[in-house]
Amino acid sequence: MNKIKKVVSIIAVVIITIAGVYGYKLYRDIFSANTKFTQDQVYVEIPTDSEFENVKKIISPYIEDMDKFETTANKKSYPRNVKSGRFLLKKGMGSNAIINSLRQNVPVNLAFNNQERLEDFAGRIASQLECDSLSILNAFKDKQFLEENGFTEENVLAVCIPNSYEYFWNTTAEKFRDKMAKEYRKFWTEERQAKAKAQNLTPIQVSILASIVHKETVKKDERPTVAGVYLNRLNKGIKLEADPTVIYAVKKNANDFSLVIKRVLNKDLKTVSPYNMYMYNGLPPGPIAMPDITALDAVLNPAKHNYIYFCASVTNFGYHEFAETPAQHEVNRQKYIEWVNNQGIKR
């Protein structure tokens, strides 16, 4: 009887030992550190419709022991429930924590501003989201979308209001576009629409004029004054004669927006383009860039004055000299021409 008890005790000890060893190994596999990157954290992006094998390839540069990871993944049923998106891995995470993180899609803080064309904008967004630039471009040029929202291909860039936005990395081009349209409608409150109407402009026209103001001056405190000049010209039926529109027209005709033009030449003023506002009255058919909110608000809240002209200042760099008469403007213009020539700026 004692022998039987002894045997049972031995077996029990063996079982407990084996269970302890197995339990320790299981704990180690699941919870011990299983990363091999030196940064505090890294982001991994899992494409839409990825399978477990794809996930393993994507995260392999960051995982110390793939067998431990795979064992834990199987226990947590991850291979059958792979999620796409952008996920955060932290240094020292165990396999369990890694799996949990791969189930929590982390949004992207989307950044974009001062894009000159829809194509540039699509490329900028595609560098931050899963969708490619062509799908984004097609989404914004979709005829039904344009008709339903009152845009054309030439002015649809106005729908993109530069601001802080959060998107999931795997957001589709259509969902991204629709949220931009929603944010556009949210921006154009009744108060802003009333201010646009007071300037005899539609919201789209405000965006077009604001894009010119944005390109004319980087000085936010000067933008209301510049906006006031252009509104004075529009109200008097005078051509805008805005150099940024000429630069845009030259680039567009050359199909080369990488051109650097620091000086507008007389020949540039003759560029045949609806964007050259030395040749046509009113506004161009679309924005020449993506205006930020300060430029938009400058058009909605312009400075009240009688200025019709302005020219870059050679004494207060970055700002402009304003004038009410051609004679006053000519004095400012000659000062600027002399400075440009002295600097050797030919283009």
Side-chain angles (χ1 to χ4, degrees), residues 7-203:
V7 171
V8 170
S9 296
I10 292 172
I11 293 173
V13 170
V14 171
I15 292 172
I16 291 171
T17 301
I18 293 173
V21 171
Y22 176 76
Y24 171 75
K25 183 179 183 301
L26 186 63
Y27 178 88
R28 184 189 64 191
D29 290 350
I30 294 175
F31 297 105
S32 63
N34 194 19
T35 60
K36 63 177 181 182
F37 50 88
T38 57
Q39 308 96 309
D40 290 334
Q41 61 185 37
V42 296
Y43 287 96
V44 295
E45 295 162 348
I46 309 299
T48 300
D49 298 328
S50 288
E51 296 183 351
F52 187 48
E53 290 302 315
N54 302 112
V55 175
K56 288 196 294 182
K57 289 179 182 178
I58 292 168
I59 68 171
S60 62
Y62 312 109
I63 303 299
E64 184 68 40
D65 190 324
M66 188 56 72
D67 289 337
K68 288 182 182 180
F69 170 78
E70 190 165 358
T71 297
T72 305
N74 286 324
K75 288 185 177 298
K76 294 174 74 71
S77 301
Y78 176 76
R80 297 189 298 277
N81 298 282
V82 170
K83 287 189 174 183
S84 62
R86 176 175 178 260
F87 305 96
L88 175 64
L89 303 184
K90 295 182 179 180
K91 183 179 179 181
M93 271 184 165
S95 297
N96 185 69
I98 292 170
I99 295 298
N100 289 342
S101 286
L102 290 175
R103 286 172 167 160
Q104 298 177 18
N105 199 353
V106 179
V108 176
N109 292 316
L110 211 60
F112 60 87
N113 58 12
N114 203 28
Q115 305 300 307
E116 289 186 301
R117 300 176 302 161
L118 187 62
E119 290 82 358
D120 301 322
F121 171 68
R124 182 78 179 94
I125 299 305
S127 70
Q128 300 173 81
L129 299 182
E130 180 183 21
C131 46
D132 59 62
S133 58
L134 182 58
S135 64
I136 296 170
L137 200 58
N138 289 338
F140 278 89
K141 288 186 175 182
D142 178 73
K143 288 184 178 181
Q144 183 175 346
F145 169 77
L146 294 173
E147 289 176 1
E148 288 178 353
N149 290 277
F151 292 104
T152 65
E153 286 192 18
E154 288 76 20
N155 64 33
V156 70
L157 190 64
V159 77
C160 304
I161 307 291
N163 212 332
S164 298
Y165 299 103
E166 282 192 347
Y167 279 90
F168 287 116
W169 176 77
N170 53 324
T171 300
T172 65
E174 289 75 19
K175 286 185 178 179
F176 168 74
R177 173 204 65 194
D178 291 344
K179 185 175 179 181
M180 280 289 96
K182 182 179 179 180
E183 293 295 330
Y184 174 83
R185 291 190 291 271
K186 188 187 298 184
F187 175 83
W188 282 103
T189 60
E190 288 186 5
E191 181 183 3
R192 282 195 172 108
Q193 289 187 54
K195 287 183 176 181
K197 189 175 182 180
Q199 304 300 335
N200 296 314
L201 299 173
T202 66

